[in-house]
Amino acid sequence: MRAIVFDSTITFRPRHPEPSAAAGDTLIRVRQAGICATDLEITHGYMGFRGIPGHEFVGEVVTSADRDLIGKRVVGEINVVCGRCDLCLSGLSNHCRNRTVLGILNRDGAFAEYVRLPALNLHVLPDSVDDDAATFVEPLAAAFQVTKQINLDGRKWVTVLGDGRLGLLVAQVLRDANCQVRVIGKHPEKLALCEKWSIRSRPLEDIVPRHDQDVVVDCTGSAEGLTMAIQMVRPRGTVVLKTTTASGAPLNLAPVVIDEINIVGSRCGPFREAIRALAEKRVDVTSLIHRRMKLEQGVEAMALAGRPGVLKVILSCAA
Ligand SMILES: [Zn+2]
Ligand SMILES: [Zn+2]
């Protein structure tokens, strides 16, 4: 099959082996896949991953142990879990000690013609969620995860730091969670999108951190984001970290102690809620699509997705 493979460098392979049955009981023909910051970090060594990247996809089931799935249009949860460890048994299977993660940890991902996953990981899509919207289910679920982890009652003042792909999803979700949301970013055209969505926004250069936000969600994708977030959050406030980078950065944690700040790491979230929000058109994702490119152009597509200001680049994976 055709695939994008990372193995110290990223290349397009016209004849890569199809995923083996050991990778899951369901074979999916990938229709399209989205490129996200995590994929770009992988090419910089994040998680030491080798193989096919890509974890945001929509496809159709070709073969499956669950016959009802055959021919269905699906998205897939990215954590493949054991179901037996202490974390799985306590309802935290996204943190399974024996997990593999699609395109991120010991499991080939979706920048390919075919991908395999267990049937249990799949969600059948309603017709009201088209392929473009479906490509955003995984990152939108990650945005919803913020609302699961922190208490947002009482019309909290929330700053979303970063106007990139994930920040603009998080901002829309928090707007609908009855928060006073503002987005801080560097790109006028993205801040204009916020205006279209009735979300306040400010350019980064205008910001003087005042230790006055109830919640700051770091979606900068840069190692410096946490430092900035700590300067913006109020004492006893909460910083939610969405950024994953390959490189660390020196960090002064004294303000976390002095201001008694809660720091919450946040990763994968609820697919069902994301699918419902897309079906009900509560979140605008089509405005986030920057360009569509063929799988064959995947290497160029990843370079494009890494340029400042570029939002979602979608890979069309069908032949
Ligand atoms: Zn992603
Ligand atoms: Zn487990």
Side-chain angles (χ1 to χ4, degrees):
M1 66 173 182
R2 297 169 297 121
I4 299 294
V5 178
F6 178 69
D7 179 12
S8 76
T9 57
I10 187 107
T11 51
F12 171 72
R13 308 262 176 95
R15 268 179 286 282
H16 193 72
E18 282 184 21
S20 76
D25 58 25
T26 301
L27 180 70
I28 302 145
R29 184 183 295 117
V30 182
R31 291 161 80 113
Q32 59 182 38
I35 300 174
C36 99
T38 306
D39 304 314
L40 304 176
E41 287 298 318
I42 277 170
T43 66
H44 299 130
Y46 177 65
M47 301 295 285
F49 178 80
R50 294 282 183 277
I52 302 171
H55 56 275
E56 304 176 358
F57 77 96
V58 53
E60 68 218 2
V61 173
V62 183
T63 60
S64 178
D66 179 350
R67 298 197 64 82
D68 292 343
L69 281 174
I70 295 171
K72 293 279 172 29
R73 213 163 49 94
V74 295
V75 290
E77 303 221 16
I78 69 175
N79 298 288
V80 177
V81 305
C82 75
R84 294 183 309 270
C85 71
D86 57 330
L87 290 165
C88 281
L89 293 176
S90 64
L92 295 173
S93 60
N94 278 351
H95 297 280
C96 171
R97 294 188 195 278
N98 307 306
R99 73 181 181 274
T100 58
V101 186
L102 190 69
I104 296 172
L105 179 67
N106 297 329
R107 164 173 291 274
D108 277 336
F111 294 167
E113 267 182 282
Y114 295 99
V115 68
R116 263 191 193 269
L117 276 171
L120 273 177
N121 280 57
L122 302 177
H123 295 260
V124 174
L125 293 162
D127 291 341
S128 50
V129 177
D130 65 16
D131 283 355
D132 282 346
T135 309
F136 287 87
V137 167
E138 195 278 336
L140 183 59
F144 270 104
Q145 181 66 0
V146 177
T147 67
K148 305 288 147 199
Q149 291 179 285
I150 57 174
N151 178 0
L152 292 168
D153 293 343
R155 236 165 139 56
K156 293 228 161 46
W157 291 89
V158 180
T159 289
V160 176
L161 204 49
D163 57 4
R165 293 167 271 258
L166 188 56
L168 294 177
L169 293 175
V170 169
Q172 291 185 75
V173 165
L174 293 178
R175 173 201 58 199
D176 293 346
N178 202 26
C179 298
Q180 308 265 15
V181 184
R182 67 169 181 177
V183 173
I184 292 173
K186 293 178 179 170
H187 306 97
E189 68 286 1
K190 297 191 199 171
L191 299 180
L193 273 179
C194 292
E195 195 171 327
K196 176 170 129 186
W197 299 329
S198 309
I199 295 169
R200 292 179 313 131
S201 68
R202 293 284 298 279
L204 178 63
E205 70 254 27
D206 289 4
I207 295 299
V208 181
R210 293 187 201 284
H211 296 279
D212 60 356
Q213 298 295 296
D214 296 313
V215 177
V216 180
V217 186
D218 171 31
C219 299
T220 57
S222 79
E224 295 77 32
L226 177 56
T227 300
M228 177 95 187
I230 288 170
Q231 291 167 357
M232 299 178 81
V233 76
R234 67 165 167 81
R236 288 276 176 105
T238 301
V239 171
V240 181
L241 278 183
K242 277 290 185 189
T243 292
T244 51
T245 58
S247 61
L251 180 66
N252 176 14
L253 286 172
V256 176
V257 177
I258 295 162
D259 288 340
E260 299 185 326
I261 296 166
N262 300 301
I263 296 183
V264 178
S266 179
R267 188 168 54 100
C268 297
F271 267 49
R272 271 176 221 288
E273 269 179 71
I275 292 169
R276 198 181 316 131
L278 291 166
E280 293 170 0
K281 316 285 183 240
R282 278 186 276 127
V283 178
D284 171 21
V285 293
T286 40
S287 299
L288 301 181
I289 297 175
H290 181 85
R291 193 179 298 173
R292 277 164 228 284
M293 295 171 80
K294 293 247 172 234
L295 183 58
E296 286 78 352
Q297 302 167 288
V299 176
E300 296 91 316
M302 288 180 79
L304 174 65
R307 281 199 215 142
V310 171
L311 289 173
K312 191 62 79 181
V313 178
I314 287 185
L315 286 180
S316 304
C317 299

